[in-house]
């Protein structure tokens, strides 16, 4: 259990407006009930407005960055690996493989920090995410220019905000001691069901 208790399920919103608004852009299993089972929402909703804000921000980042679904998951997994965050890695291995169509090969390359083996644009995205973590958000001109060959200005803004949010989320998970409730899929996906 985290450092503060989960809220009771009956105290959570039955529906989140953002889920209804973006339902056509979300995988079928991402609904209000899904969110209300997540340890993050169950913990953050001790402050109800911020619990709902977490759902909103995740939904906006999954749908409005300008990145494809596999690209979003590539960035999040790279942040999770660079920050050694099993919670985020676990959830986004599942999201990447089952909801976004990200390949197992890309996920394993991220885990092993074998980014040169990843095709573009995922290689540039993973490199950006690792650099974002390793240099506290300072992205070199070279890395920015590499990203700019693949994406327009609006998408680059989306990429930076996506990376920043998941770095911040990792710190919040640690501060509140929010842990996985399922068996960790493993950095090598050794516990992911085939």
């Amino acid at each position: 259990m985290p450092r503060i208790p989960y809220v009771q399920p009956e105290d959570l919103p039955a529906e989140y407006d953002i889920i209804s608004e973006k339902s056509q852009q979300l995988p079928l299993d991402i609904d209000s009930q899904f969110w209300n089972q997540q340890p993050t929402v169950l913990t953050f909703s001790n402050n109800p407005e911020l619990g709902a804000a977490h759902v909103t921000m995740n939904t906006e980042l999954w749908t409005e960055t300008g990145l494809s679904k596999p690209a979003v998951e590539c960035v999040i997994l790279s942040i999770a690996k660079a920050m050694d965050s099993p919670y985020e890695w676990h959830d986004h291995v599942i999201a990447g493989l089952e909801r976004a169509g990200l390949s197992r090969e890309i996920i394993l390359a991220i885990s092993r920090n074998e980014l040169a083996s990843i095709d573009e644009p995922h290689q540039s995205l993973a490199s950006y995410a690792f650099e974002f973590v390793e240099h506290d958000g300072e992205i070199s001109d070279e890395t920015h220019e590499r990203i700019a060959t693949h994406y327009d200005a609006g998408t680059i803004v989306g990429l930076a905000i996506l990376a920043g949010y998941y770095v911040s989320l990792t710190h919040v998970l640690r501060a509140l001691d929010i842990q996985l409730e399922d068996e960790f899929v493993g950095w090598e996906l050794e516990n992911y069901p085939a």
Side-chain angles (χ1 to χ4, degrees):
M1 288 294 288
R3 288 180 168 151
I4 55 176
Y6 288 166
V7 299
Q8 295 301 308
E10 60 269 17
D11 294 331
L12 294 169
E15 297 291 331
Y16 296 95
D17 291 342
I18 190 72
I19 301 296
S20 299
E21 291 170 24
K22 307 281 183 173
S23 63
Q24 296 301 313
Q25 296 169 267
L26 295 170
L28 292 175
D29 64 335
I30 303 296
D31 57 15
S32 297
Q33 182 180 2
F34 166 86
W35 277 111
N36 285 347
Q37 296 170 359
Q38 300 308 304
T40 49
V41 171
L42 290 166
T43 305
F44 298 166
S45 293
N46 280 281
N47 183 322
E49 292 300 321
L50 294 182
H54 176 67
V55 174
T56 298
M57 190 61 172
N58 272 277
T59 303
E60 293 288 4
L61 289 173
W62 289 347
T63 61
E64 300 302 330
T65 60
L67 297 168
S68 68
K69 287 176 176 52
V72 167
E73 295 305 329
C74 176
V75 172
I76 297 170
L77 285 164
S78 298
I79 296 290
K81 178 60 179 172
M83 295 192 72
D84 191 28
S85 176
Y87 185 103
E88 287 182 341
W89 179 262
H90 178 92
D91 281 359
H92 288 278
V93 162
I94 294 167
L97 290 172
E98 298 178 10
R99 298 185 193 107
L102 191 64
S103 75
R104 188 179 186 99
E105 291 73 26
I106 289 175
I107 294 172
L108 288 171
I110 292 168
S111 179
R112 296 168 183 161
N113 202 5
E114 296 173 353
L115 306 186
S117 70
I118 302 173
D119 290 338
E120 292 294 353
H122 293 105
Q123 183 184 126
S124 291
L125 291 168
S127 297
Y128 184 101
F130 274 91
E131 187 172 317
F132 192 100
V133 171
E134 291 163 7
H135 297 282
D136 300 322
E138 290 189 30
I139 296 296
S140 68
D141 289 341
E142 178 184 350
T143 299
H144 173 80
E145 288 164 11
R146 187 174 167 192
I147 284 292
T149 65
H150 300 288
Y151 299 107
D152 63 20
T155 304
I156 295 170
V157 169
L159 168 60
I161 293 172
L162 175 69
Y165 185 77
Y166 277 89
V167 167
S168 172
L169 182 58
T170 298
H171 291 306
V172 174
L173 292 169
R174 290 176 178 158
L176 298 177
D177 197 25
I178 298 173
Q179 301 289 327
L180 279 173
E181 295 185 344
D182 299 323
E183 180 183 32
F184 179 47
V185 294
W187 298 109
E188 292 288 314
L189 311 188
E190 62 269 23
N191 299 318
Y192 182 77

